[in-house]
Amino acid sequence: MKKISRKSFLKIAAAAAMGSVTAGALAACNSASSSAAASSSASSAGSLAAGATYIPGTYEATAAGINGDVKVTMTFSDTAITDVVLDVSGETASIGGAAAEDLKNALMEAQGAEIDVVSGATITSEGVIKAAQKCINQAKGIANVEVIQLPTGDENDWLGTEPDIDEEAITETWDTDILIVGAGNGGMCAAAYAAQNGLNFRIIEQNSVVQDTRHWYGAIDTSAAKAAGAEPMDRAKLLSEISRYASGKCDQRVVKTWINESAAMHDFVSGILEGEYGWSCEFTSGAEAAWPAENAEHNTDYLYPVQEHNYMASETASGMQRNQAFQDYIEKRGYSIDFNTALAKLEKDENGRITGVIAQSTSDDHFIRINASKGVLLACGGYPGNPYMMEQLDPLGTSVTTACSYSPADKGYGIRAAVWAGANLDKESAPMLFDRGIVPPGQDAGYVESANAFGGKAFPGQIRQYNPGTQPFLKVNRNGERFANESCPYNDIVYAAAHQPGRVYAQIHDANWEEDVKRFHTIGCSAQTRNGGEAYVLPKMEEAEELGCFFKADTLEELADKLGFTGEAKENFLATVERYNELYDAQNDEDFGKPAYRLSAIKTAPFYGCWLGASLLTTEQGIAINDKCQALDTNNQPMEGLYITGDMSGSFFANNYPCLMAGVAMGRTMTFAIKAIKQMGGLE
């Protein structure tokens, strides 16, 4: 194991002055122009011509984007940036790719890298800005010296080895009572609660902005529920159902922490968002949140709805998200977020107590020791953006996934740091999969090679989530055969597809789809298709059609051809549709037992079809915790000074996420964030 030391900085800087550095752990950027320019880029500022700002030439550099590296190529005269070329081909076309022109124009206008991120493409923007600054440094004759933040693991070892950071490399020390790692949903809720109670804390975030908000959260018997006249929840049944969904592989005391304390969490959130920002809560329960009673006849009434809450910004909030409101809230109280500061490793004393962390600046790569006398809360997210962890920890979920809607910053670094420190990782995966990963005909599920993506792999789907894919229409495999009851939780059909060719399936419906989805009455986020109607669904169909993933035809034979069915598979497909229409006419699915109200005729042209797999939102396999949100060691004993919340916390889910218990994961995240702060702050 090689130490990263201050001496290493000096040695690499000296080497960079003589030429490029391409060692695995440390790198400098090379010029993309002539050998003379390349030589100039590595020389000192003294080689600049008198009165010149830059060494003329063309320079290129890379930095991490949303799916992999983005590349910036910049051309300089002696006094100006004259051209900018961005390569964001590895980014999601509709997000990072769409921002490329705006970023290029901003760099040219600013004549530097001090530009704003493009809304909705923050991570791509940050990568472009960082790579542009590297190019500028080269053109000024300044060596770019980088140290990789953490070992990335590999295809054989997702964990890797904990970095051994020399004391000489730690150039800064911060002291605080409480340290929160991660400015996402859990971290920002924790920070807002700590700020409201006047606690001494710091919060660090590896990116330059707070992370995206998951607006919907589940909470039990809240003030919003009482105001809406909702019946009190059967808490014993809810506890039993969550445990049963996890096959008993959870800690019911941890689940009870959410059940019993989520109402107080909601009161805290509503006190800020309604009281200070004038937002209103959209509360969902009762018939809108429940499967229709007909499901009881088919033993599917175990799908237990919860009371879901959603805050959308008021007009006066200018579209601010909850995490942004929490940021504004803490800043008004004199606190701030230490952005561009990434977790490198946890530190502990001779008794094993976690005393703080060593972090690394993602701006200039120097190391910082952060001492936290009362504890560390890790809220760093799961590992959906890390193919090494996905393939090794969740081979089944990986094999059926065709698209993703996760945060690419969630690469499991918090989980790895906790395991390095001796924490116990849940032994079973629990991915959050939605049956919405639309892909073209012939595309298998699972990773495909992607040179620009982290780990060299990415999921092939270009649309994050095709929401109508959740509807219980007829679904067939590549042989043209029906293979499962389509009236099921989101992830059940994609797991069923694990036993089908290519691990994908086609969804088929006719022109009466809107009438069908109203009758289907799906719940959770799939209700957007039912409630939004044509105005919501048609743009999604058109987007998918443009990408060659969605098809419309005047006859079933034509649809079969467009979906790629040939020979016997085409004959099977047409026979399957005919059989499905017979089941609809009889209002009795004697083949797979789907409730009659969720059958649909496929008789009225035009006919529609697409191929689907899973869309991965996040992972819920995390570090084992107790009911106080303390991390547990490999003997399931509390680790003093270490608390966990969010997608990197365990002891709650197993097998998979209970998709139709809407908002449970986010409700748990925010409830546990507050619980951890109460524990560290001595508030209970």
Side-chain angles (χ1 to χ4, degrees):
M1 179 169 58
K2 187 176 180 180
K3 286 191 175 185
I4 303 171
S5 69
R6 187 170 183 81
K7 292 178 182 178
S8 298
F9 281 126
L10 299 176
K11 289 178 181 179
I12 294 300
M18 299 299 295
S20 64
V21 180
T22 57
L26 296 150
C29 299
N30 296 317
S31 170
S33 62
S34 66
S35 59
S39 176
S40 296
S41 71
S43 58
S44 69
S47 63
L48 287 170
T53 304
Y54 306 111
I55 305 165
T58 299
Y59 306 84
E60 69 178 31
T62 61
I66 194 166
N67 291 323
D69 283 346
V70 298
K71 183 168 76 172
V72 176
T73 304
M74 302 179 78
T75 301
F76 298 79
S77 68
D78 60 353
T79 59
I81 300 170
T82 60
D83 190 34
V84 174
V85 177
L86 304 185
D87 181 357
V88 295
S89 57
E91 303 297 89
T92 304
S94 61
I95 303 173
E101 191 65 23
D102 289 341
L103 291 166
K104 173 184 175 179
N105 292 338
L107 289 168
M108 287 295 294
E109 182 177 349
Q111 285 292 296
E114 294 77 26
I115 63 173
D116 294 330
V117 300
V118 174
S119 178
T122 299
I123 296 174
T124 299
S125 300
E126 291 172 348
V128 167
I129 291 168
K130 191 168 186 178
Q133 187 60 57
K134 293 177 185 179
C135 290
I136 292 168
N137 287 350
Q138 292 178 74
K140 289 182 175 181
I142 302 170
N144 287 309
V145 182
E146 296 183 42
V147 180
I148 284 181
Q149 169 212 338
L150 286 175
T152 59
D154 58 39
E155 62 273 10
N156 300 311
D157 177 18
W158 65 265
L159 181 59
T161 304
E162 182 178 45
D164 185 8
I165 301 169
D166 195 292
E167 285 294 319
E168 293 181 352
I170 303 169
T171 59
E172 196 172 354
T173 299
W174 304 344
D175 294 308
T176 188
D177 289 345
I178 296 169
L179 176 65
I180 302 166
V181 183
N185 294 293
M188 290 311 299
C189 185
Y193 193 81
Q196 187 177 86
N197 286 278
L199 301 179
N200 177 27
F201 75 93
R202 295 188 81 143
I203 176 170
I204 64 173
E205 166 58 45
Q206 65 180 351
N207 298 294
S208 63
V209 294
V210 295
Q211 297 304 284
D212 288 342
T213 301
R214 186 71 174 172
H215 294 281
W216 299 270
Y217 61 86
I220 303 304
D221 298 334
T222 64
S223 54
K226 293 173 183 175
E231 292 293 323
M233 297 289 289
D234 184 339
R235 298 188 179 201
K237 181 177 180 182
L238 179 56
L239 176 63
S240 175
E241 291 305 303
I242 290 178
S243 179
R244 181 157 67 136
Y245 213 107
S247 301
K249 301 168 187 174
C250 62
D251 187 329
Q252 292 193 13
R253 297 166 299 179
V254 172
V255 177
K256 285 177 66 177
T257 295
W258 166 67
I259 292 175
N260 294 333
E261 300 186 23
S262 59
M265 175 273 291
H266 169 74
D267 286 345
F268 163 72
V269 173
S270 66
I272 293 177
L273 299 185
E274 296 181 32
E276 188 148 334
Y277 293 92
W279 296 9
S280 58
C281 178
E282 178 185 305
F283 175 74
T284 306
S285 68
E288 174 59 26
W291 281 43
E294 290 91 333
N295 281 281
E297 301 172 9
H298 295 262
N299 297 316
T300 54
D301 60 330
Y302 69 89
L303 295 165
Y304 200 81
V306 300
Q307 298 165 352
E308 189 180 49
H309 305 70
N310 177 25
Y311 280 99
M312 301 305 291
S314 67
E315 293 182 5
T316 58
S318 302
M320 189 185 296
Q321 295 185 359
R322 184 182 69 237
N323 289 344
Q324 294 169 325
F326 283 158
Q327 178 183 2
D328 183 68
Y329 181 81
I330 70 170
E331 288 174 348
K332 286 178 178 177
R333 283 152 182 79
Y335 300 91
S336 62
I337 303 169
D338 293 299
F339 289 115
N340 302 311
T341 306
L343 172 67
K345 62 183 292 186
L346 291 162
E347 291 199 294
K348 52 187 176 181
D349 62 19
E350 63 276 5
N351 297 316
R353 176 184 174 83
I354 300 299
T355 58
V357 310
I358 296 177
Q360 185 180 24
S361 166
T362 60
S363 297
D364 62 15
D365 300 307
H366 78 278
F367 289 102
I368 308 159
R369 169 169 284 123
I370 309 176
N371 298 316
S373 61
K374 294 186 177 180
V376 174
L377 172 62
L378 295 183
C380 308
Y383 57 84
N386 188 327
Y388 304 133
M389 296 181 75
M390 284 298 304
E391 289 186 322
Q392 293 170 56
L393 296 176
D394 185 15
L396 176 59
T398 300
S399 73
V400 299
T401 297
T402 53
C404 61
S405 48
Y406 57 73
S407 168
D410 288 352
K411 293 183 172 66
Y413 287 152
I415 291 173
R416 296 165 75 223
V419 173
W420 286 333
N424 181 19
L425 178 65
D426 284 348
K427 300 303 182 288
E428 187 159 336
S429 61
M432 192 181 292
L433 300 176
F434 291 86
D435 44 358
R436 302 170 186 169
I438 193 167
V439 287
Q443 176 63 61
D444 291 347
Y447 282 118
V448 297
E449 292 185 5
S450 177
N452 293 315
F454 179 81
K457 297 179 180 179
F459 294 113
Q462 296 185 59
I463 295 176
R464 290 159 63 91
Q465 287 200 29
Y466 176 72
N467 190 280
T470 291
Q471 298 302 314
F473 290 115
L474 170 66
K475 294 178 172 66
V476 300
N477 63 19
R478 283 183 176 167
N479 297 326
E481 302 163 336
R482 189 180 179 210
F483 59 93
N485 177 352
E486 301 92 346
S487 182
C488 58
Y490 306 140
N491 49 214
D492 285 22
I493 194 69
V494 299
Y495 281 133
H499 305 282
Q500 307 306 315
R503 301 171 304 282
V504 292
Y505 52 90
Q507 175 172 277
I508 314 298
H509 58 83
D510 73 2
N512 297 313
W513 62 265
E514 188 170 10
E515 175 185 326
D516 291 334
V517 299
K518 289 179 180 177
R519 181 178 69 257
F520 292 160
H521 193 90
T522 58
I523 63 173
C525 53
S526 67
Q528 295 175 40
T529 294
R530 165 167 54 90
N531 295 328
E534 285 191 354
Y536 175 77
V537 175
L538 291 183
K540 296 186 177 298
M541 291 180 175
E542 291 167 359
E543 179 188 13
E545 189 173 19
E546 289 177 2
L547 292 172
C549 298
F550 186 82
F551 305 95
K552 179 170 64 174
D554 293 327
T555 67
L556 288 168
E557 289 82 359
E558 181 188 2
L559 182 64
D561 293 339
K562 289 184 174 181
L563 288 170
F565 292 110
T566 60
E568 185 178 353
K570 181 176 179 179
E571 294 176 6
N572 290 340
F573 171 78
L574 296 173
T576 297
V577 174
E578 182 178 2
R579 171 61 175 168
Y580 195 71
N581 282 328
E582 292 174 355
L583 298 174
Y584 172 80
D585 291 339
Q587 288 292 284
N588 179 26
D589 181 13
E590 61 184 46
D591 291 352
F592 289 96
K594 183 156 68 174
Y597 79 102
R598 285 197 162 170
L599 292 167
S600 56
I602 307 175
K603 301 178 180 180
T604 305
F607 303 100
Y608 301 89
C610 61
W611 288 96
L612 295 162
S615 178
L616 171 66
L617 179 59
T618 189
T619 56
E620 302 288 352
Q621 178 185 14
I623 300 301
I625 59 173
N626 62 17
D627 57 358
K628 296 178 181 179
C629 303
Q630 288 178 289
L632 302 181
D633 65 17
T634 54
N635 195 34
N636 285 322
Q637 295 297 316
M639 296 178 67
E640 295 297 322
L642 183 60
Y643 297 80
I644 314 285
T645 192
D647 293 345
M648 67 167 292
S649 66
S651 304
F652 202 109
F653 303 114
N655 310 317
N656 43 260
Y657 177 72
C659 289
L660 296 181
M661 294 181 183
V664 173
M666 187 51 56
R668 167 220 55 179
T669 292
M670 297 167 71
T671 302
F672 288 3
I674 292 173
K675 184 73 170 182
I677 295 298
K678 286 181 176 179
Q679 290 291 307
M680 289 185 282
L683 302 177
E684 67 173 16

